[in-house]
Structures are given as C-alpha cells and as structure tokens.
Amino acid sequence: MCDSDAVTPHDPATAARRQAVSVSVATGLYGVSFGALSVAAGLTVPQTMALSLLMFSGGSQFAFIGVIGAGGAAGAAVASAALLGARNGLYGAQLTPLLDLPWRWRGPAAHVTIDESTAVATAQPTRAAARVGFWWTGVGVLVLWNAFTLLGALAGDRLGDPRAYGLDAAAAAAFLALVWPRLAGRAAQGVAAAAVVVALVTTPVLPAGIPVLLAACVAVVVGVAVPPRPAPEVPA
Amino acid sequence: MTALWGAVLLAGLACLAIKLAGHVLPEHWLARPRVARVAALVTVALLSALVAVQTATSSGQVVLDARLPALAVAAVALALRAPFVVVVVLAAATAAGLRLLGMP
C-alpha cells in the first residue's frame, strides 16, 4: 500500500483511494460513540446494529436514538430520522450524472450514499477517480462504522448508569459536531438559533420528539419564504 | 419492545428509500436550488434542536446541569478542529468529571 514507487504520484484514482481510506477510518471510529449511546438510549444491541446496517446515516441514527432516549414517541423518532435523511436523496441526484453507474449498481450505490462518500466523490477531478472515491469511501465507512458500532454497543451494555460516564453530554456533543460544518452563512445560523429557541420553549408543553420536528418546520418556512440572497436595491 | 423494533425497521427503510429515490428519480426533480436550500436548512434545524434538547432538557423540563459546560468544551474543541471522537470524548469526560465533583 505504501509502495510509492509503484504508482505515479499524480494518478487521481490512487489519490482518491487514499483519501477514501483516511475518511473511512476517521468516520468509522465514531461508530463507537453511536453504539454506546444507542444502548444507553434503551435500544438493544441487535436494534443498534439494525440501524447501522440498514439506515446507515450518522445524523439520522443519532436523531433516532436521541428522540427515543428522551422518551419520545416512535413516530417522532422515525420522522426525525427520515427528515435528516432527506439530504441523502439530494446527494443521489448529484452523484447520478457524476458516476454514471449502470442500473444494477444503483441499489448498492444508494445504500452507501452518505455525507462522506458524496464529499470524496465530488472532490475528484475525473469520473474514474470519482467512482473509486465513492465506492472506497462508501464501503469503507459501511464496514468500519458497523464494526465500531458493535464494539460501542457491547461496551455500552456493560457500563451501567450512562450519566455517570457523561454519555448524555456526549450525545449533545455528537449533534453539535454534526451541525458545526453546516453553520456557515447567515441563513443557517439564523435557522440554528431559531431551532434552539423553538425546541427549548416548546419542550415543557409538547410530547418529547415533537419540539425537534417543529424546529424543522421553521427551516422549511425560512427556506421557502426567504429568498436565498436579497436582491440588491441599488445596481452596482 | 416490538414497537421499538417496528420503528427501527420503518425508519431504516424510509432512509434507504430516500437514498434510492435520489439515484432513480429524474435529476431535474431534485436539482432545483430551492429544494437543496430547504433540505440544507432542515438538516441544520433538526441537528440544532437536537443539540438543545440533548443539552438542556430532561423528562420534558428545561434543566441546566453538567451537560452545558460539557457542550462548551465540545464547542471549543470543534473550533480548534479536533476530530469527532475527541470532541465526543472530551464532552463526556467533562460531564463525568463535574458530576464527580457534585454537579447534577
């Protein structure tokens, strides 16, 4: 793997593969925190693994166990996970023309369409490199994310009181880390602040899980009603 | 328990169906700027609301405890570009340490 003389240094496919491996390792590792938090939220180890294998989208998985852990209804957990998964649908629309895969590969490609595989694929200079980056990242994260989820779930099962280990704070930090790179721009920051206020104000009066969905409605209203950039009033 | 299994499978299949839709629907359906913008903002809103609920509520009440300073530590770590695992572990260690010192 490290035989640098055997490959041309500027081969885009090799560079894509290297990038894919490092992203897969970094992403796969935090499957440990998902596994531990999931059993702390009250899911069994098989249920935790079902989420990592079938749902396979970090944000949706953390949202699902967050709502369940807070005592929310199953329906609210499903809705939160699906809404957070909506962006994966848009990734697919971006990837279809880029990868130009035959139909029989679109099912497997859809399963490994996540933030990381899309980011690596779209960053490559050629279609061949984009395909290498997409598959290596998607399959790499799938394998490592599930392996580390299992590790975390088995460890979390033996821990006892999750609060004593600060696992509730770890879940909050996980959400913060997921939203952090998306906070560039005024609209995103405004929506984030509004979502926090809506969630906290409505928590005492609404069933668990609903405040989070209500915050998503704020984003829909802002996204539909407010134009992306206000038109300049004076021509430059 | 069976209800939770049902929710796990339903949510998993829903997320998978959304991914598949992106790969098989005509591109122009999803390539509209407004659709992309709303999806991005919905993601931000959901995650931000989850940060708030996970940090400052317990059993339907707003509660301030060791989770808040832990979140502040996580924010500093993120600003310093720490990797995800480090951010999560630092937050857990902060909350666990403060609770050891008697903070709720």
Side-chain angles (χ1 to χ4, degrees):
Chain A
M1 284 289 185
C2 298
D3 191 1
S4 54
D5 294 333
V7 293
T8 45
H10 297 297
D11 176 21
T14 306
R17 195 161 61 235
R18 280 188 188 148
Q19 201 181 343
V21 169
S22 61
V23 169
S24 299
V25 171
T27 309
L29 268 176
Y30 78 79
V32 167
S33 50
F34 173 74
L37 292 169
S38 180
V39 294
L43 279 79
T44 62
V45 175
Q47 284 166 345
T48 300
M49 291 313 299
L51 286 181
S52 277
L53 282 165
L54 186 62
M55 187 180 283
F56 184 50
S57 186
S60 296
Q61 291 181 229
F62 276 109
F64 185 90
I65 63 163
V67 173
I68 294 292
V78 173
S80 300
L83 276 172
L84 262 175
R87 68 186 191 287
N88 291 326
L90 301 182
Y91 293 160
Q94 251 181 297
L95 289 167
T96 303
L98 177 67
L99 302 176
D100 194 26
L101 296 170
W103 277 91
R104 66 179 183 282
W105 285 108
R106 292 197 182 185
H111 189 212
V112 297
T113 295
I114 51 172
D115 293 337
E116 291 80 11
S117 57
T118 305
V120 172
T122 52
Q124 305 308 321
T126 66
R127 170 167 291 159
R131 284 177 176 167
V132 168
F134 174 78
W135 287 113
W136 276 77
T137 309
V139 175
V141 174
L142 179 66
V143 169
L144 293 175
W145 175 255
N146 275 280
F148 282 101
T149 297
L150 182 60
L151 200 69
L154 293 174
D157 226 8
R158 291 151 191 267
L159 280 180
D161 178 17
R163 290 183 76 251
Y165 299 90
L167 283 188
D168 51 349
F175 287 124
L176 186 66
L178 288 169
V179 78
W180 195 267
R182 303 173 197 278
L183 287 178
R186 279 283 171 82
Q189 290 164 4
V191 164
V196 167
V197 171
V198 167
L200 291 182
V201 167
T202 59
T203 286
V205 291
L206 292 176
I210 306 298
V212 172
L213 294 177
L214 205 60
C217 296
V218 173
V220 174
V221 170
V222 171
V224 171
V226 181
R229 271 179 212 152
E233 303 206 346
V234 185
Chain B
M1 183 200 155
T2 36
L4 186 50
W5 259 118
V8 165
L9 296 178
L10 185 63
L13 290 175
C15 286
L16 198 53
I18 291 165
K19 289 177 176 179
L20 200 58
H23 282 268
V24 299
L25 288 181
E27 285 152 38
H28 62 267
W29 286 17
L30 294 168
R32 294 179 194 151
R34 182 150 283 184
V35 173
R37 181 174 148 82
V38 170
L41 291 179
V42 165
T43 303
V44 167
L46 283 165
L47 291 172
S48 304
L50 285 161
V51 170
V53 167
Q54 192 67 48
T55 304
T57 75
S58 281
S59 323
Q61 297 300 323
V62 174
V63 173
L64 297 181
D65 58 20
R67 289 173 294 175
L68 194 58
L71 192 75
V73 169
V76 171
L78 284 165
L80 296 174
R81 296 175 178 276
F84 191 101
V85 179
V86 175
V87 171
V88 171
V89 169
L90 279 177
T94 305
L98 288 172
R99 281 173 182 150
L100 215 55
L101 296 172
M103 195 186 244

Coordinates of all heavy atoms in Angstrom, one line a residue, chain A residues 34-35 38-39 42-54 146 149-150 153-154 157, chain B residues 1 4-5 8-9:
Chain A
F34 N -21.7 6.0 18.7 CA -23.1 5.7 18.3 C -23.5 4.5 19.1 O -24.6 4.4 19.7 CB -23.3 5.6 16.8 CG -24.7 5.1 16.5 CD1 -25.8 6.0 16.7 CD2 -24.9 3.8 16.2 CE1 -27.1 5.5 16.5 CE2 -26.2 3.4 16.0 CZ -27.3 4.2 16.2
G35 N -22.7 3.4 19.0 CA -23.1 2.2 19.6 C -23.3 2.3 21.1 O -24.4 1.8 21.6
S38 N -26.5 4.4 21.8 CA -27.7 3.8 21.4 C -28.2 2.8 22.5 O -29.4 2.8 22.8 CB -27.5 3.0 20.1 OG -28.7 2.3 19.7
V39 N -27.3 2.0 23.1 CA -27.8 1.2 24.1 C -28.1 2.0 25.4 O -29.0 1.6 26.2 CB -26.8 0.0 24.5 CG1 -26.6 -0.9 23.3 CG2 -25.4 0.5 24.9
G42 N -31.6 3.0 25.3 CA -32.6 2.0 25.6 C -32.8 1.0 24.5 O -33.6 0.1 24.5
L43 N -32.0 1.1 23.4 CA -32.1 0.1 22.3 C -31.2 -1.1 22.7 O -30.2 -1.0 23.4 CB -31.6 0.7 21.0 CG -32.6 1.6 20.2 CD1 -32.7 2.9 20.8 CD2 -32.3 1.6 18.8
T44 N -31.6 -2.3 22.1 CA -30.8 -3.5 22.3 C -29.6 -3.5 21.3 O -29.6 -2.6 20.4 CB -31.6 -4.7 22.1 OG1 -32.1 -4.7 20.7 CG2 -32.9 -4.8 23.0
V45 N -28.7 -4.4 21.6 CA -27.5 -4.4 20.6 C -28.0 -4.8 19.2 O -27.6 -4.1 18.2 CB -26.5 -5.5 21.1 CG1 -25.4 -5.6 20.1 CG2 -25.9 -5.0 22.5
P46 N -28.9 -5.8 19.0 CA -29.4 -6.1 17.7 C -30.1 -4.9 17.0 O -30.0 -4.6 15.8 CB -30.4 -7.3 17.8 CG -29.9 -7.9 19.1 CD -29.4 -6.8 20.0
Q47 N -30.9 -4.1 17.8 CA -31.6 -2.9 17.3 C -30.6 -1.9 16.8 O -30.7 -1.3 15.8 CB -32.6 -2.4 18.3 CG -33.8 -3.2 18.5 CD -34.6 -2.8 19.7 OE1 -34.1 -2.1 20.6 NE2 -35.9 -3.2 19.8
T48 N -29.5 -1.7 17.7 CA -28.5 -0.8 17.3 C -27.8 -1.2 16.0 O -27.6 -0.3 15.2 CB -27.4 -0.8 18.5 OG1 -28.1 -0.4 19.7 CG2 -26.3 0.2 18.2
M49 N -27.5 -2.5 15.9 CA -26.9 -2.9 14.6 C -27.8 -2.8 13.4 O -27.3 -2.5 12.3 CB -26.4 -4.4 14.8 CG -25.3 -4.6 15.8 SD -23.9 -3.4 15.6 CE -23.4 -3.8 13.9
A50 N -29.1 -3.0 13.6 CA -30.0 -2.8 12.5 C -30.0 -1.4 12.0 O -30.1 -1.2 10.8 CB -31.5 -3.2 13.0
L51 N -29.9 -0.4 12.9 CA -29.8 1.0 12.5 C -28.5 1.2 11.7 O -28.6 1.8 10.6 CB -29.8 1.9 13.7 CG -31.2 2.1 14.4 CD1 -31.0 3.0 15.6 CD2 -32.2 2.6 13.4
S52 N -27.4 0.7 12.2 CA -26.1 1.0 11.5 C -26.0 0.2 10.1 O -25.4 0.7 9.2 CB -24.9 0.6 12.3 OG -24.6 1.6 13.2
L53 N -26.7 -0.9 10.0 CA -26.6 -1.7 8.8 C -27.7 -1.2 7.8 O -27.3 -1.0 6.6 CB -26.9 -3.2 9.1 CG -25.8 -4.0 9.7 CD1 -26.3 -5.3 10.2 CD2 -24.7 -4.2 8.6
L54 N -28.9 -0.9 8.2 CA -30.0 -0.6 7.3 C -30.1 0.9 7.1 O -30.1 1.3 5.9 CB -31.3 -1.2 7.9 CG -32.5 -1.1 7.0 CD1 -32.3 -1.9 5.7 CD2 -33.7 -1.6 7.8
N146 N -20.0 -0.1 11.1 CA -20.7 -1.2 11.7 C -19.9 -2.0 12.7 O -20.3 -2.4 13.8 CB -21.3 -2.2 10.6 CG -22.6 -1.7 10.1 OD1 -23.7 -1.9 10.7 ND2 -22.6 -1.0 9.0
T149 N -19.6 0.3 15.7 CA -21.0 0.3 16.4 C -21.1 -0.9 17.3 O -21.5 -0.7 18.4 CB -22.1 0.3 15.3 OG1 -22.0 1.5 14.5 CG2 -23.5 0.3 16.1
L150 N -20.8 -2.0 16.8 CA -20.9 -3.3 17.6 C -20.0 -3.2 18.8 O -20.5 -3.5 19.9 CB -20.5 -4.5 16.7 CG -20.6 -5.9 17.4 CD1 -22.1 -6.1 17.8 CD2 -20.2 -7.0 16.5
A153 N -21.6 -0.7 21.2 CA -22.8 -1.3 21.8 C -22.5 -2.3 22.9 O -23.1 -2.3 23.9 CB -23.7 -1.8 20.7
L154 N -21.6 -3.2 22.6 CA -21.2 -4.2 23.6 C -20.6 -3.6 24.8 O -20.9 -4.0 25.9 CB -20.2 -5.2 22.9 CG -20.9 -6.1 21.8 CD1 -19.8 -6.9 21.1 CD2 -22.0 -7.0 22.3
D157 N -23.3 -1.7 26.9 CA -24.1 -2.6 27.6 C -23.6 -3.0 29.0 O -24.4 -3.3 29.8 CB -24.2 -3.9 26.7 CG -25.7 -4.4 26.6 OD1 -26.6 -3.6 27.0 OD2 -25.9 -5.5 26.1
Chain B
M1 N -41.2 -3.4 23.2 CA -40.0 -3.8 22.5 C -40.3 -4.1 21.0 O -39.6 -3.6 20.2 CB -39.5 -5.1 23.1 CG -38.1 -5.6 22.5 SD -37.8 -7.3 22.7 CE -36.8 -7.7 21.3
L4 N -40.6 -0.8 19.3 CA -39.3 -0.2 19.0 C -38.7 -0.8 17.8 O -38.1 -0.2 16.9 CB -38.4 -0.3 20.2 CG -37.1 0.4 20.2 CD1 -37.3 1.9 19.7 CD2 -36.4 0.4 21.5
W5 N -38.8 -2.2 17.7 CA -38.3 -2.9 16.5 C -39.0 -2.4 15.2 O -38.3 -2.1 14.2 CB -38.5 -4.4 16.6 CG -37.3 -5.1 17.0 CD1 -37.1 -5.9 18.2 CD2 -36.0 -5.2 16.3 NE1 -35.8 -6.4 18.2 CE2 -35.1 -6.0 17.1 CE3 -35.6 -4.7 15.1 CZ2 -33.8 -6.3 16.7 CZ3 -34.2 -5.0 14.7 CH2 -33.4 -5.8 15.5
V8 N -37.5 1.0 14.4 CA -36.2 0.8 13.9 C -36.2 0.4 12.4 O -35.5 1.0 11.5 CB -35.4 -0.3 14.7 CG1 -34.1 -0.7 13.9 CG2 -35.0 0.3 16.1
L9 N -37.0 -0.6 12.1 CA -37.1 -1.1 10.7 C -37.7 -0.1 9.8 O -37.3 0.2 8.6 CB -37.8 -2.4 10.6 CG -37.1 -3.6 11.4 CD1 -38.0 -4.8 11.4 CD2 -35.7 -3.8 10.8

